[in-house]
Amino acid sequence: MDGFEVQRKISNDVVILNLKGYLDAHTAPQLEKALQTCIDQKEYKIIINFENLSYISSAGLGVFMGFIEEIRQHGGDLKFSNMNPKIFRVFDLLGFPNLFEIFDDERDALNKFNSK
Amino acid sequence: MSEKPLEVREVSNQELQITLVSRNELIRELRQKVKFFAKQQGFDDEEVFDVQLALNEALANVIEHAYQGDQNGRIDIKFHTDQNGDLVIVIKDYGQKADPECLKSRSLDEFREGGLGLYLMEKLMDVVQFDFSQEDGTVLTLIKRKHCHK
């Protein structure tokens, strides 16, 4: 039991990854694999829903940093939603709100993709 | 060290010593241990969260950089409270020493993948101090002052 899961769903051409549990150096490779699958399938519009994520360390944030350039080069984006205050604090400490769009709700992130 | 991947010795109510091997899967257990210890010492929820994350980052750095993925490196950790009630965490490894140049504070713009851990530790803790004077390995001291939100 790793204590971390990625559940994937698709809404039109947007992939939504729901993260659950604890994301750290031990479990980050699972997230890396899920994002690599998106890239391999040329899915570049991605929402990460953090509603069920209990914990994140910099290893998790490093995964997003590792993919964002390639995703944006292909006209896509990584958008984040449903962060609890503890998770948001880690993103905020590292200045991520300047690099990524963060939405209160998954639907708002979806609307942003669909409005383009 | 013995064959157990993680050993805990409760020296007193104010001091806990832990020895573990350099495996990422043990970090979660360490987060639980420091959470329990810090709560017991009267730190509030936000402080406990900061300490958990800083310890997590320190251990991940030791495993990745000092031991470079070797899963059998030894790490000694001590949690204790000092005379002011501040929480002191001392982490000793026996691996490769870091290049002090790599441990200088950098601006966020300079970070890409990796390198976020030290920056976070400095944001979360009141003291982050490396001692490279040991014959083997490095000693990292982290201090969190009680009820002194940064």
Side-chain angles (χ1 to χ4, degrees):
Chain A
M1 169 67 182
D2 283 336
F4 179 70
E5 267 177 51
V6 184
Q7 286 170 344
R8 183 189 146 97
K9 62 180 181 180
I10 294 185
S11 176
N12 295 324
D13 60 344
V14 180
V15 176
I16 300 159
L17 299 179
N18 280 293
L19 310 188
K20 186 177 176 186
Y22 301 85
L23 178 54
D24 61 14
H26 181 49
T27 56
Q30 284 173 253
L31 174 61
E32 218 162 54
K33 200 171 156 193
L35 283 168
Q36 189 58 54
T37 300
C38 295
I39 304 282
D40 293 345
Q41 295 175 183
K42 302 192 187 317
E43 296 161 335
Y44 300 114
K45 293 180 182 176
I46 303 164
I47 295 170
I48 309 287
N49 184 323
F50 291 84
E51 188 171 10
N52 297 309
L53 193 75
S54 306
Y55 179 85
I56 190 165
S57 76
S58 74
L61 280 77
V63 174
F64 301 126
M65 292 290 267
F67 282 98
I68 190 60
E69 212 169 298
E70 187 175 357
I71 288 169
R72 286 183 180 155
Q73 272 170 4
H74 286 90
D77 199 13
L78 261 181
K79 299 188 193 298
F80 300 147
S81 77
N82 302 76
M83 284 184 188
N84 71 43
K86 281 184 177 173
I87 300 286
F88 178 77
R89 179 148 186 264
V90 184
F91 278 82
D92 194 34
L93 282 169
L94 289 171
F96 272 54
N98 295 325
L99 306 171
F100 296 89
E101 280 189 293
I102 301 174
F103 297 86
D104 288 342
D105 195 77
E106 181 185 300
R107 192 173 300 174
D108 299 334
L110 258 178
N111 287 341
K112 187 69 190 282
F113 269 128
N114 292 331
S115 68
K116 283 191 176 174
Chain B
M1 70 182 286
S2 79
E3 291 181 0
K4 280 188 188 170
L6 191 145
E7 270 183 59
V8 182
R9 291 173 300 283
E10 196 172 333
V11 178
S12 70
N13 286 342
Q14 280 85 40
E15 184 176 334
L16 201 65
Q17 293 180 3
I18 299 172
T19 297
L20 71 150
V21 291
S22 50
R23 294 179 197 164
N24 279 324
E25 67 259 33
L26 298 174
I27 292 179
R28 188 173 162 199
E29 200 170 334
L30 263 291
R31 287 199 304 264
Q32 293 302 321
K33 299 254 181 256
V34 82
K35 178 181 180 180
F36 185 76
F37 184 81
K39 278 191 170 208
Q40 206 177 34
Q41 305 303 321
F43 285 82
D44 67 32
D45 284 351
E46 191 176 313
E47 291 165 338
V48 169
F49 179 81
D50 289 357
V51 167
Q52 278 189 292
L53 184 53
L55 175 65
N56 181 136
E57 298 299 336
L59 290 175
N61 277 353
V62 167
I63 293 167
E64 186 182 349
H65 301 296
Y67 288 118
Q68 307 198 327
D70 173 3
Q71 302 226 322
N72 295 303
R74 176 179 174 146
I75 305 171
D76 293 326
I77 302 177
K78 184 166 84 174
F79 308 149
H80 71 276
T81 43
D82 65 13
Q83 66 276 18
N84 302 317
D86 298 336
L87 177 60
V88 182
I89 301 175
V90 182
I91 301 162
K92 160 84 177 136
D93 72 67
Y94 303 84
Q96 198 168 312
K97 288 182 200 289
D99 175 356
E101 273 299 304
C102 296
L103 295 173
K104 282 185 179 163
S105 258
R106 290 176 283 176
S107 74
L108 265 185
D109 296 343
E110 294 175 78
F111 289 109
R112 288 290 177 268
E113 193 179 1
L116 300 170
L118 177 62
Y119 182 87
L120 261 185
M121 279 189 266
E122 288 177 340
K123 286 272 183 185
L124 298 166
M125 302 299 278
D126 296 293
V127 175
V128 177
Q129 194 173 58
F130 289 91
D131 174 6
F132 301 107
S133 67
Q134 310 284 313
E135 195 174 322
D136 52 352
T138 303
V139 177
L140 168 61
T141 302
L142 303 170
I143 300 177
K144 185 73 175 174
R145 304 208 196 290
K146 195 181 273 182
H147 308 328
C148 172
H149 291 282
K150 288 180 101 176

